[in-house]
Amino acid sequence: MIQRKPNQGALDSVLAWVSGDSSDNDVVRLACDLLIPRKGDLYIVYVIEVHRSMHLDSEIETATLEGERILTKVEEIAIQYKCNVHAEMLQSRTSGIAIVQEAAEKNVGAVVIGSDYNKDYGLFSLGKTILFILKNAPCKVILWRNENEIV
């Protein structure tokens, strides 16, 4: 196990992508731990994916309410760390592109993303969004994967 000294590798800004899965709380805690205490900016982003048949700025009431609920929940966690919290809901065709663009625009030091233990066709899979972010993000990417549930 790697032992990290306090503030070793601390960053001044981190973007945390929350998506409503069980890893969201851990993603936000990890992002806060990476920040310079009481000085760092934490950008928490929730993305509503808009189907191509709809206008990109269409009002999607149920998705907006869900996004607000998720952001409120994780903001409460982040506030305890005394960092500068900026929560934002975006609408995009794909989450991966939105996260990479936000990371570039905000010039963050790292993006923290999370994943449940997912299987596609019986094999572990990160999914196309996480793979896109890992490949294209202009900064460090830190992945939190929840443990495998034994069935």
Side-chain angles (χ1 to χ4, degrees):
M1 176 184 225
I2 298 173
Q3 295 293 324
R4 187 167 64 103
K5 295 177 186 173
N7 287 348
Q8 181 183 0
L11 302 166
D12 60 1
S13 63
V14 174
L15 186 147
W17 173 44
V18 295
S19 60
D21 68 18
S22 64
S23 66
D24 285 351
N25 294 349
D26 294 316
V27 164
V28 171
R29 284 187 192 100
L30 177 57
C32 290
D33 285 340
L34 293 169
L35 289 169
I36 298 170
R38 298 187 179 112
K39 295 181 183 175
D41 288 306
L42 173 63
Y43 300 97
I44 304 173
V45 177
Y46 178 84
V47 181
I48 298 172
E49 291 191 353
V50 181
H51 192 272
R52 295 202 182 279
S53 65
M54 302 173 69
H55 290 283
L56 193 54
D57 60 354
S58 296
E59 179 68 30
I60 307 170
E61 187 175 344
T62 55
T64 301
L65 290 173
E66 177 69 2
E68 289 173 354
R69 183 190 67 76
I70 291 166
L71 287 173
T72 300
K73 180 178 143 190
V74 295
E75 275 181 295
E76 290 172 5
I77 294 168
I79 288 170
Q80 297 171 11
Y81 285 82
K82 297 183 170 99
C83 53
N84 302 318
V85 181
H86 312 276
E88 189 173 5
M89 191 174 342
L90 306 174
Q91 289 192 184
S92 178
R93 299 292 182 206
T94 62
S95 294
I97 291 172
I99 297 304
V100 169
Q101 287 177 341
E102 282 296 299
E105 286 176 19
K106 294 185 177 358
N107 196 29
V108 296
V111 174
V112 181
I113 56 180
S115 176
D116 287 335
Y117 189 89
N118 297 317
K119 286 187 175 184
D120 286 337
Y121 306 108
L123 299 172
F124 172 70
S125 172
L126 288 174
K128 64 182 179 181
T129 301
I130 290 177
L131 291 175
F132 183 88
I133 295 168
L134 286 169
K135 181 179 178 184
N136 296 290
C139 57
K140 297 174 186 173
V141 178
I142 300 162
L143 173 62
W144 176 279
R145 183 193 60 87
N146 280 341
E147 61 274 351
N148 181 8
E149 292 183 21
I150 300 174
V151 182

